[in-house]
Amino acid sequence: MTTLGLIGSGNIGGTVARLAVDAGIDVVLSNSRGPETLADLVAELGPRARAATPAEAAEAGDWVVVTVPVKAYPLIPREPLAGKVVLDTGNYYPQRDGDIPELAAKETTDSGLLQAHLEGARVVKVFNNIFFKHLAVLPRPAGAADRSALAIAGDDADAKASATHLLDLLGFDAVDAGPLAEGWRYQPGTPAYGLPYADKSVADFMSVPPSPASAADIEAALAAAER
């Protein structure tokens, strides 16, 4: 039996939780407002789901998804995440997160900031470059001709292998973008952000139905990124 912990249970977190439950994985949800605020989502997900505090979700998870605004990274509990695979969905949006000098200067990446905060954890960047509505409907069985891929980045090879296994269970292939420092290649404003999973002729990828993106599609988009 495997368990997915979630710190943050909004659009991306809730979608990943649904995919996990569909894959037979138990989920422990949390947010900043308290477990009682997740009652409706837990009821929707069924007996494989329960709500808890962020520290409890971190402790329970074999994988732990951190899906909160970048400005909230300092609030993520450290101790229960030591040694664990932490899947970071974050993107830095200055209009929401405020000025973070090291990100503005491109001295590090948002996931690099989280890794620095979570000393001892093994951070993998994933789920940040796909619209949550597209994430919800694009899973396919392994080997399907129209299976989509998601980019991952991380500094620990075993953690990336573990993240790849989770993606496979959820219905996606993985494309290794390299270390966390390369995570910028699929952040907002790059060819790999949102666009591969929608009609390529439409700039507003959130306004159109999803379209599968193969590993080759994602590799090409990552290679085309400019900083």
Side-chain angles (χ1 to χ4, degrees), residues 28-56:
V28 181
L29 301 144
S30 71
N31 63 17
S32 61
R33 295 174 294 139
E36 66 280 357
T37 65
L38 295 167
D40 289 345
L41 180 56
V42 168
E44 175 194 335
L45 293 173
R48 287 196 178 275
R50 64 182 177 90
T53 67
E56 290 167 341

Side-chain angles (χ1 to χ4, degrees), residues 90-91 109-111 125 128-129 183-190 192-193:
N91 288 310
T109 63
D110 39 27
S111 295
K125 186 177 188 67
N128 67 294
N129 70 316
W184 65 270
R185 290 186 176 277
Y186 49 108
Q187 291 182 170
T190 66
Y193 180 74

Side-chain angles (χ1 to χ4, degrees), residues 39-203:
D40 289 345
L41 180 56
V42 168
E44 175 194 335
L45 293 173
R48 287 196 178 275
R50 64 182 177 90
T53 67
E56 290 167 341
E59 183 66 36
D62 297 296
W63 304 275
V64 180
V65 176
V66 170
T67 178
V68 302
V70 172
K71 64 182 178 182
Y73 283 174
L75 303 177
I76 302 301
R78 293 177 177 178
E79 289 77 9
L81 291 172
K84 295 204 173 185
V85 176
V86 175
L87 308 173
D88 175 36
T89 79
N91 288 310
Y92 173 48
Y93 299 106
Q95 65 273 26
R96 177 197 65 188
D97 298 309
D99 180 41
I100 301 178
E102 54 265 59
L103 294 182
K106 300 179 181 178
E107 295 171 355
T108 187
T109 63
D110 39 27
S111 295
L113 278 184
L114 183 61
Q115 180 66 81
H117 172 67
L118 296 177
E119 184 178 358
R122 299 176 293 158
V123 174
V124 177
K125 186 177 188 67
V126 66
F127 298 122
N128 67 294
N129 70 316
I130 185 170
F131 184 38
F132 75 97
K133 291 184 179 179
H134 296 170
L135 178 65
V137 297
L138 283 176
R140 301 289 189 274
D146 61 345
R147 200 182 211 209
S148 291
L150 295 171
I152 63 171
D155 296 336
D156 184 287
D158 289 341
K160 286 195 284 189
S162 181
T164 297
H165 176 57
L166 175 62
L167 290 182
D168 183 49
L169 294 175
L170 300 185
F172 292 90
D173 291 332
V175 171
D176 189 347
L180 283 181
E182 293 296 302
W184 65 270
R185 290 186 176 277
Y186 49 108
Q187 291 182 170
T190 66
Y193 180 74
L195 294 170
Y197 308 101
D199 184 334
K200 312 304 184 287
S201 67
V202 179

